[in-house]
Amino acid sequence: MSAKDPAANRPLSPFMLGQYYRFQLSSALSFLHRITGVGLAIGSLGLAAWVLCAAMGPEQYAAYTGFAASPFGQFLLICWSWALFYHACNGVRHLVWDGGKAFERSQVDLGGWIVVLSSLALTAVLWLVVCFA
Amino acid sequence: MLLRSPLGQARGLGSAKEGVQHWWMQRITAVALLPLSLWFVFSVATHQLVPHDAIVAWLHNPLVAAVLVFYFAVLFYHSALGVQVVVEDYVGGQFKKLATLMLFKLAHGLVAVIAIIAVLKVAFGGM
């Protein structure tokens, strides 16, 4: 810490992480909610690009779907769909908390695991639908 | 000497009365996005939208176009509210924070307009 300007060296939010903070499901899922939220915000650019390419014409749309069908495109789509389901499921968990319910330690942990498993299950169902529909 | 009562002072100096609005709109849009997102991903997954003709035909259904425009409006609003909180938490410095917030707010507005106009152009355009 500099004696001249303590505010300049003030640590930013997740500074407790790693050094002082023991891993726990709740905090990990909380970070994940933010990370997936930011990821989905970036992913929504891809969503806008999708309809924009459709509006621009068949060639631009073919370029978009060609990229989406490429291995990297498929990887991005799978990540996006899981991020969406995770953020949605954990969002429901937050709405339950907003209602003042499920604050017991055991309920918080159980809810966390339900969110993890249901987000993975929904992603699997979606991609099975994509493959077999 | 202050002549205002403690309650009057608190009212004068307190919140800008927008904090609850932000929190509440985040919840309303979150609730709306649950069915909208499920509808969107499973519609796209079940309709074969890879040929250009197919997505044009899909968006020519007025109900699909309307729900998709609504979905985009709610989605980008929710996204703007969420990104705002992240910026407020992690971007330090008054000027840097304000500039980043403005940039992301305006970017969200612009991308939302682009997406909605694109849907409408296809929806109202020829087959």
Side-chain angles (χ1 to χ4, degrees):
Chain A
M1 277 272 190
S2 136
K4 286 175 188 165
D5 186 10
N9 291 334
R10 205 155 47 191
L12 271 171
S13 175
F15 71 102
M16 295 292 278
L17 211 63
Q19 289 169 282
Y20 312 106
Y21 208 68
R22 178 174 50 85
F23 175 87
Q24 46 186 292
L25 185 67
S26 295
S27 56
L29 296 187
S30 178
F31 298 144
L32 218 47
H33 194 72
R34 278 220 160 164
I35 294 166
T36 52
V38 171
L40 288 166
I42 298 166
S44 65
L45 291 173
L47 225 51
W50 174 59
V51 283
L52 183 64
C53 287
M56 285 169 84
E59 284 162 40
Q60 288 85 346
Y61 191 66
Y64 186 94
T65 53
F67 173 71
S70 72
F72 184 57
Q74 292 284 291
F75 170 74
L76 287 180
L77 281 173
I78 291 170
C79 289
W80 179 83
S81 63
W82 174 76
L84 180 75
F85 285 131
Y86 175 79
H87 199 82
C89 293
N90 203 47
V92 172
R93 189 163 163 248
H94 270 281
L95 290 171
V96 172
W97 285 332
D98 291 339
K101 292 185 169 56
F103 277 115
E104 289 302 322
R105 176 66 192 276
S106 59
Q107 293 171 311
V108 169
D109 283 343
L110 178 67
W113 285 116
I114 291 174
V115 163
V116 170
L117 294 178
S118 52
S119 68
L120 292 172
L122 281 163
T123 310
V125 168
L126 178 71
W127 286 90
L128 284 173
V129 169
V130 170
C131 292
F132 295 106
Chain B
M1 186 185 155
L2 277 172
L3 294 174
R4 299 180 75 178
S5 69
L7 179 63
Q9 275 187 54
R11 281 192 175 139
L13 298 170
S15 86
K17 297 172 184 67
E18 290 171 343
V20 176
Q21 169 78 0
H22 180 285
W23 187 92
W24 185 232
M25 288 315 292
Q26 199 171 34
R27 267 63 190 177
I28 291 180
T29 49
V31 169
L33 283 172
L34 289 172
L36 286 170
S37 301
L38 280 176
W39 165 80
F40 177 73
V41 291
F42 282 101
S43 293
V44 173
T46 49
H47 291 76
Q48 305 294 329
L49 296 176
V50 173
H52 189 252
D53 299 346
I55 189 162
V56 171
W58 189 58
L59 292 177
H60 263 255
N61 180 337
L63 203 58
V64 168
V67 177
L68 196 58
V69 165
F70 183 58
Y71 176 53
F72 283 150
V74 178
L75 171 76
F76 284 106
Y77 189 18
H78 184 82
S79 178
L81 292 174
V83 168
Q84 180 190 338
V85 176
V86 175
V87 171
E88 284 167 349
D89 283 354
Y90 299 123
V91 180
Q94 280 295 315
F95 177 77
K96 216 164 89 180
K97 180 176 287 191
L98 201 64
T100 314
L101 281 174
M102 273 189 187
L103 179 72
F104 281 130
K105 286 272 172 178
L106 293 175
H108 272 96
L110 179 65
V111 177
V113 170
I114 289 172
I116 289 169
I117 287 187
V119 173
L120 295 178
K121 183 172 183 283
V122 179
F124 292 129
M127 286 296 266

